[in-house]
Amino acid sequence: MGADLENLVNEAAILAARRNKRSIGMSELSEAVERVIGGPERRSRIISAKEKEIIAYHEAGHALVRRMLPKCDPVHKISIVSRGMALGYTMSLPENDRVLVSRTKFEHDLSAMLGGRVAEQLNFKDVTNGAGDDLDKVTKLARAMVMQYGMSPTMGPMVFGQRHEMIFLGREIGEQRNYSEQVAREIDKEVNRIVTEAYDRATDILTRHKELLDTISQKLIEVETLDAEEFEAFFAGVPGAPPRKQAPPEGSSSAPNRAPEGGRPSGAPSPQPSPA
Ligand code: NHX
Ligand code: ZN
């Protein structure tokens, strides 16, 4: 944790020095956060016009679904500039520190994670291997909802499988199956149902807002990145878009449950690493 912060500030200092600045500003700090989470930008990567269009639609799909579902965290940044391993990414920013997550929020998050794949399908009538990482996360989350969180009405409030973890390494080393073949099939069916419903929800949103998907994708092709404010501008007067709270001014502490000391200071963002 302390080492993470040291690394973060060091990255910010390097960026400030490169920009011939005498001190670290907010822009260096946020770029450092993005570098630490997602790796360095790779502007030299060569991408064809067709691929750039696919990447733009994929990211616009994530962002638009995320914006239309009330339980999703707000979009912090959309980019079609490669960073680390990813060709593009959509970052979100939790509005408050959360410990407990509802089934509804998980369902909305699944739809947002599938938004990229759905946008590819709707616009190109074809899909790419690029969504593999999104689908991996979707499948793992849906499976955890059924097997670990008791969130499937048909499977009931039970835990399936005894997970063997090496606690001190925080790593899973395998799963002991403690349920029948029959139950294994029911679990698979439930995981599939949850993912399918999330996919259908994303398809519904992107079909109803296809023109907006086109507009945002074209804008991304043109400018390559959109920040929260630029993205939000597309939604003024759009019916069906849940209202977005105005971000509190820098340094103000409006969150009631924030730890007074030792926690993240208010105003310091904690962007999610997910490229989804
Ligand atoms: C490939 N990369 O392997 C190419 C080079 C679908 C527009 N054929 O979902 O970049 O396809 O929303 C962390 C996070 C690899 C590590 C994402 C490693 C993705 C990312 C595969 C966007 N954004 N896919 C995404 C993407 C790809 C990949 C990752 C990772 C794309 C997608 C990578
Ligand atoms: Zn994606």
Side-chain angles (χ1 to χ4, degrees):
M1 184 61 214
D4 288 347
L5 261 180
E6 187 180 326
N7 181 233
L8 179 75
V9 177
N10 190 44
E11 287 282 350
I14 291 167
L15 289 166
R18 272 194 207 148
R19 295 168 186 179
N20 296 316
K21 288 175 131 186
R22 294 181 62 248
S23 60
I24 297 169
M26 195 57 204
S27 90
E28 286 79 29
L29 263 180
S30 27
E31 172 63 19
V33 168
E34 288 167 30
R35 278 181 76 96
V36 169
I37 291 175
E41 280 195 343
R42 298 182 196 279
R43 288 189 175 271
S44 58
R45 184 173 229 149
I46 291 165
I47 287 156
S48 70
K50 177 67 184 177
E51 283 192 326
K52 197 168 171 181
E53 196 184 8
I54 296 172
I55 300 167
Y57 268 88
H58 179 103
E59 300 312 327
H62 282 306
L64 186 44
V65 172
R66 186 169 281 287
R67 179 62 184 82
M68 289 297 171
L69 290 172
K71 297 288 181 183
C72 287
D73 293 327
V75 172
H76 173 64
K77 181 177 175 179
I78 319 171
S79 175
I80 61 165
V81 178
S82 294
R83 183 184 280 284
M85 303 266 289
L87 300 169
Y89 55 93
T90 300
M91 287 170 80
S92 59
L93 196 65
E95 283 179 306
N96 36 46
D97 294 332
R98 197 182 352 257
V99 187
L100 302 173
V101 184
S102 66
R103 175 168 67 200
T104 307
K105 173 157 170 53
F106 280 141
E107 288 166 350
H108 289 188
D109 286 345
L110 288 171
S111 292
M113 286 185 246
L114 289 163
R117 161 56 65 92
V118 171
E120 291 181 41
Q121 175 61 40
L122 286 178
N123 195 63
F124 302 102
K125 311 283 178 252
D126 200 358
V127 295
T128 68
N129 60 352
D133 187 71
D134 291 336
L135 303 186
D136 188 50
K137 282 187 282 184
V138 162
T139 310
K140 283 182 176 144
L141 175 54
R143 195 162 279 282
M145 289 169 70
V146 176
M147 296 182 67
Q148 289 170 247
Y149 311 147
M151 289 180 175
S152 156
T154 50
M155 299 313 296
M158 294 200 290
V159 171
F160 299 94
Q162 194 64 56
R163 288 176 309 135
H164 289 281
E165 291 176 86
M166 297 220 277
I167 306 287
F168 61 99
L169 287 176
R171 214 166 42 193
E172 267 183 54
I173 56 172
E175 185 224 50
Q176 181 75 50
R177 208 179 78 177
N178 60 0
Y179 45 87
S180 67
E181 202 70 52
Q182 166 70 21
V183 165
R185 284 176 200 288
E186 288 168 20
I187 290 170
D188 290 344
K189 254 178 77 179
E190 273 299 272
V191 173
N192 184 278
R193 178 190 61 79
I194 290 170
V195 174
T196 303
E197 285 181 10
Y199 188 95
D200 292 347
R201 197 178 305 118
T203 301
D204 180 60
I205 290 168
L206 294 183
T207 305
R208 281 190 284 114
H209 298 282
K210 179 61 166 64
E211 279 189 24
L212 197 46
L213 178 68
D214 294 332
T215 307
I216 296 168
S217 305
Q218 292 311 317
K219 187 72 183 175
L220 268 177
I221 291 168
E222 192 191 318
V223 302
E224 298 194 322
T225 70
L226 293 170
D227 66 21
E229 204 183 324
E230 293 163 336
F231 178 65
E232 191 52 37
F234 289 101
F235 294 89
V238 169
R244 281 291 170 201
K245 288 184 288 281
Q246 198 71 47
E250 207 65 43
S252 81
S253 182
S254 58
N257 289 326
R258 200 174 286 282
E261 267 173 69
R264 217 172 32 244
S266 71
S270 65
Q272 294 304 95
S274 115

